[in-house]
Amino acid sequence: MKCSEFLTELTSYLDGVLDEPTKVELENHLSWCHNCYVVCDTTKKTIEIYRDSQLYELPEDLRSRLRSAIMSKCQQHKKRGPESV
Amino acid sequence: METIQNKTEGPVSDELTLVRAAKQGDDSAFEELVRRYDRNVFRIAQHITQNREDAEDVVQEAFLKAYGNLAKFQEQSKFYTWLVRIAVNEALMKLRRKKPERTVSLDEEIKTEDDSLPREIADWSPNPEQQYNQAELREILSKTIQGLPPGFRTVFVLRDVEGLSTEETAAALELSVPAVKSRLLRARLQLRERLGRFFQKRESGDGDQ
């Protein structure tokens, strides 16, 4: 496997959806190609950092305010009929 | 190397029951759907708009639209995927209104073939996120993802932050599966490269340069 081929398969590899023969080939490539190993490892870390970051969590007070607003607008919509959205 | 495990969503088995009850006029069932997905919609919206007030508006507008159009929901996809599609469209509309000079589209053409090829290979420190406090880290992550084109960061957020499958992401964004895969790869590689500036391993005795 060449470095460019590794890159093509990287997303499927990280998602765990690569077929077994390709996965073996890719891991063999990673075992001797340090650059691709680093790219693979740091891309995986990138995903994990974002996934675990709790960036843009909705605070509970804002959450209940939004929910009340949504539900009361839904009520108004119901009273006015389907043309109001 | 282990592969990435997706964050699992809450139980979806009774989602359809709630949707059908809501269609029959049961507002408490709809409120339960709001409770279930409001945090996801808010995160997606803020990632796309990069603005908290806009994200709040998107949450309200998306749920209200879903409520008003519930009768039209065909139940061929998950309610959540349908809701995400509405929310993404609302969020992109906000962005277009704010940045009319820039085309904001999910279909933007990929300019060059090698725009995301790794140029910077240097390894990161073992626990890069621990070099920064929580507030600094959030700032870094937020600024970094902001630098991606909206079409790329939307795909990244749906797939990697919210844990939608490639097929669900494609359905929610009305893109083809190959298009989602291609954007996801580019988004991941671009984020990796940009984060490298903050997370790179520093050689001992090299100071902070």
Side-chain angles (χ1 to χ4, degrees):
Chain A
M1 182 178 280
K2 286 188 270 182
C3 296
S4 58
E5 291 166 331
F6 149 79
L7 215 53
T8 312
E9 305 296 349
L10 176 61
T11 274
S12 301
Y13 177 66
L14 290 175
D15 293 343
V17 296
L18 213 52
D19 62 86
E20 198 55 31
T22 317
K23 187 180 164 207
V24 170
E25 249 190 275
L26 187 144
E27 284 176 348
N28 178 41
H29 178 86
L30 292 183
S31 70
W32 59 264
C33 181
H34 181 67
N35 280 355
C36 285
Y37 178 84
V38 169
V39 168
C40 186
D41 186 47
T42 50
T43 304
K44 183 167 168 259
K45 278 183 187 156
T46 298
I47 298 165
E48 286 169 346
I49 287 171
Y50 270 100
R51 198 192 47 196
D52 301 338
S53 68
Q54 298 184 316
L55 205 60
Y56 312 141
E57 288 300 315
L58 185 53
E60 274 307 312
D61 54 337
L62 174 58
R63 197 180 169 212
S64 45
R65 253 193 297 130
L66 283 177
R67 195 170 58 242
S68 311
I70 291 164
M71 293 318 294
S72 89
K73 282 182 188 163
C74 288
Q75 297 293 334
Q76 289 168 19
H77 166 70
K78 209 179 213 175
K79 280 182 201 149
R80 283 203 301 258
E83 297 310 312
S84 59
V85 170
Chain B
M1 198 180 293
E2 280 181 30
T3 53
I4 298 284
Q5 297 301 313
N6 278 336
K7 184 158 69 170
T8 47
E9 295 294 334
V12 289
S13 52
D14 58 339
E15 184 190 88
L16 199 55
T17 316
L18 288 171
V19 170
R20 286 181 179 162
K23 276 184 175 178
Q24 300 296 314
D26 179 353
D27 283 347
S28 65
F30 187 77
E31 188 165 2
E32 185 53 37
L33 290 166
V34 176
R35 253 181 238 277
R36 190 170 286 197
Y37 298 125
D38 55 356
R39 285 177 288 217
N40 306 71
V41 172
F42 181 75
R43 250 193 321 261
I44 293 166
Q46 195 164 347
H47 266 115
I48 297 174
T49 62
Q50 296 292 327
N51 177 290
R52 183 169 155 149
E53 281 175 20
D54 285 345
E56 290 177 25
D57 287 350
V58 169
V59 171
Q60 297 198 49
E61 286 156 15
F63 277 110
L64 199 60
K65 243 185 193 153
Y67 183 87
N69 291 289
L70 212 49
K72 292 182 202 152
F73 173 57
Q74 299 291 318
E75 300 177 15
Q76 279 160 353
S77 65
K78 282 202 276 183
F79 171 78
Y80 178 54
T81 315
W82 182 67
L83 177 67
V84 166
R85 186 193 299 185
I86 297 173
V88 167
N89 284 335
E90 292 291 323
L92 288 173
M93 257 185 330
K94 288 250 177 239
L95 213 53
R96 280 188 202 109
R97 265 179 233 136
K98 283 207 163 163
K99 296 181 177 172
E101 76 279 7
R102 275 190 55 195
T103 320
V104 176
S105 163
L106 285 175
D107 301 322
E108 56 206 288
E109 280 303 307
I110 289 149
K111 301 285 187 295
T112 59
E113 270 308 303
D114 59 353
D115 60 350
S116 337
L117 285 182
R119 289 175 294 260
E120 184 56 68
I121 309 283
D123 204 358
W124 294 3
S125 4
N127 295 299
E129 65 276 31
Q130 287 168 17
Q131 295 169 12
Y132 300 93
N133 69 35
Q134 281 252 308
E136 288 169 336
L137 183 65
R138 278 185 197 165
E139 177 78 11
I140 290 170
L141 296 179
S142 175
K143 283 264 153 61
T144 302
I145 201 164
Q146 219 167 328
L148 289 192
F152 283 19
R153 66 176 186 253
T154 304
V155 169
F156 178 80
V157 167
L158 296 192
R159 276 292 283 105
D160 285 339
V161 181
E162 296 304 322
L164 267 70
S165 71
T166 305
E167 289 72 19
E168 286 168 337
T169 305
L173 303 181
E174 294 173 299
L175 288 171
S176 68
V177 166
V180 168
K181 285 186 176 169
S182 146
R183 280 163 179 70
L184 182 63
L185 174 67
R186 283 158 194 279
R188 284 171 167 180
L189 290 176
Q190 286 187 21
L191 286 175
R192 183 204 76 89
E193 184 136 337
R194 287 160 199 241
L195 283 187
R197 281 180 233 146
F198 302 97
F199 294 159
Q200 251 170 46
K201 195 180 260 178
R202 290 172 182 154
E203 298 302 328
S204 52
D206 225 14
D208 270 349
Q209 53 184 320

